[in-house]
Amino acid sequence: MGIDRRTELRQFLRSRRARVRPEDVGLPRHGRRRVPGLRREELAQLAGVSVGYYTRLEQGYSHNVSPGILDALAAALRLSDAEREHLTRLVGPVPSPRLRARGGGRPVRPGLRLLLERFDQVPAYVLGPALDVLAWNGLARALLADFPSLPPAERNTAWLAFLDADHRSLYEEWPAKAAYVVAALRQETARYPCDARLCELVDELRSRSAEFRELWERHDIREQYHGAMTLQHPVAGRLTLRYETLTLPDDPGQSLVMMHADPGSPSEDGLRLLASWSAERTAGAGASAGSGTRAAGTGAGCGHPHA
């Protein structure tokens, strides 16, 4: 079981050809065209390779492609840096099983878990290769989802974005969030093409979400390790938060995501409110558990509906 990299390469190159018009790259537009964008022979001409060579490459026969040819193709197709890197992965050797198992298969280090809890005013969590949420702090749980109550397969940013309606309603600009999630998942399939967990997740999302299928077929690639998003939270209200994603060199495949509000902003006040509310709920739940009864309203999402 795994991602067919030959198919991925073919579809990615075709999708990139389709978005470049001949006139965009200084070529005449002759006759009626059966396909949008550049023809194979036009792209081969721009990249300085034979039509036969490019045709074989697009069909997935990508052995020993030089960096110079990849650079020429990237320039002709006007690829972004992230798309150029994605293309390199698709034509490169398949990672070894040992490398593929690292990151997602290893637990989050105890020291990192302790660090997460020290961020009492900053929602923070650790992502694995398939966008699985591997660890989180209390504020991330209160903000995004009650991760401990979810089955492991659903502790995943892509699964929640497309298959959990309550979680989806958190995001004020959900289409942008959805496009980013799909692009990130597409990159993960190139990094870990034989990862069973990743393949099962993509298959499930394609079968259950028409929106995911539409975005998946675009083959969009983008890297967005920092930025801002606006959430509509049932307890904290409207929050505009910035996020930073830090890769973990000692734990390949894992990354630390931290979110924060601008100093002095209403969103910073909202995060403080949420932190206080979360601490009170946690304390209340602990007291009830100690007395042998469950606190009312301590269900999914720490009591809020966006699990």
Side-chain angles (χ1 to χ4, degrees):
M1 182 178 182
I3 301 294
D4 186 341
R5 297 221 305 178
R6 183 173 295 179
T7 299
E8 286 291 303
L9 177 60
R10 179 174 66 249
Q11 293 178 347
F12 177 68
L13 286 172
R14 285 179 175 177
S15 70
R16 301 309 91 172
R17 275 200 296 121
R19 72 180 185 181
V20 181
R21 300 178 302 174
E23 54 267 35
D24 293 336
V25 290
L27 294 176
R29 190 181 183 93
H30 294 309
R32 187 175 181 178
R33 308 179 73 87
R34 293 181 299 173
V35 294
L38 295 176
R39 298 185 174 115
R40 284 178 175 174
E41 56 268 25
E42 291 170 332
L43 178 54
Q45 175 187 341
L46 290 170
V49 298
S50 70
V51 177
Y53 179 90
Y54 176 75
T55 299
R56 290 191 298 274
L57 176 62
E58 192 174 281
Q59 290 173 344
Y61 300 100
S62 56
H63 303 295
N64 300 319
V65 182
S66 71
I69 290 178
L70 290 178
D71 286 340
L73 286 171
L77 291 170
R78 299 187 169 188
L79 301 185
S80 66
D81 290 343
E83 290 170 328
R84 168 66 168 80
E85 184 178 355
H86 184 69
L87 177 60
T88 301
R89 289 196 181 100
L90 290 178
V91 302
V94 177
S96 68
R98 181 184 64 84
L99 181 60
R100 291 197 304 270
R102 300 184 69 183
R106 64 192 301 174
V108 176
R109 289 180 286 108
L112 184 55
R113 289 183 180 274
L114 183 61
L115 180 63
L116 287 176
E117 292 304 325
R118 292 293 184 267
F119 295 143
D120 56 350
Q121 297 295 318
V122 175
Y125 55 95
V126 176
L127 281 179
L131 305 188
D132 288 320
V133 181
L134 304 179
W136 54 86
N137 65 5
L139 194 50
R141 176 183 177 184
L143 178 68
L144 299 174
D146 185 25
F147 298 114
S149 73
L150 298 175
E154 296 178 14
R155 296 175 195 162
N156 180 279
T157 58
W159 196 99
L160 289 169
F162 287 94
L163 300 182
D164 188 300
D166 289 333
H167 183 81
R168 169 176 173 161
S169 68
L170 268 176
Y171 297 93
E172 188 170 279
E173 298 179 352
W174 185 84
K177 169 68 175 179
Y180 162 70
V181 167
V182 174
L185 200 59
R186 173 72 72 180
Q187 287 176 286
E188 292 299 284
T189 62
R191 290 188 179 100
Y192 307 99
C194 300
D195 185 85
R197 160 64 181 154
L198 185 55
C199 295
E200 290 169 0
L201 175 64
V202 171
D203 287 344
E204 180 181 11
L205 292 174
R206 292 182 69 182
S207 67
R208 296 182 58 184
S209 171
E211 291 166 308
F212 180 86
R213 286 196 301 274
E214 179 182 349
L215 289 169
W216 187 254
E217 294 307 316
R218 295 181 187 176
H219 289 264
D220 288 340
I221 300 295
R222 68 187 72 175
E223 290 182 338
Q224 195 168 341
Y225 296 113
H226 59 88
M229 65 177 68
T230 300
L231 307 178
Q232 292 287 354
H233 195 275
V235 173
R238 188 172 187 266
L239 300 171
T240 297
L241 303 177
R242 301 186 186 278
Y243 62 89
E244 298 285 344
T245 306
L246 308 178
T247 58
L248 304 174
D250 290 338
D251 301 287
Q254 294 183 9
S255 57
L256 173 64
V257 182
M258 298 175 289
M259 308 171 74
H260 65 95
D262 287 340
S265 67
S267 295
E268 186 180 47
D269 294 335
L271 273 186
R272 289 198 186 99
L273 170 65
L274 186 61
S276 176
W277 176 86
S278 176
E280 291 175 1
R281 303 292 286 193
T282 301
S288 297
S291 64
T293 60
R294 180 179 177 180
T298 56
C302 297
H304 70 72
H306 292 292

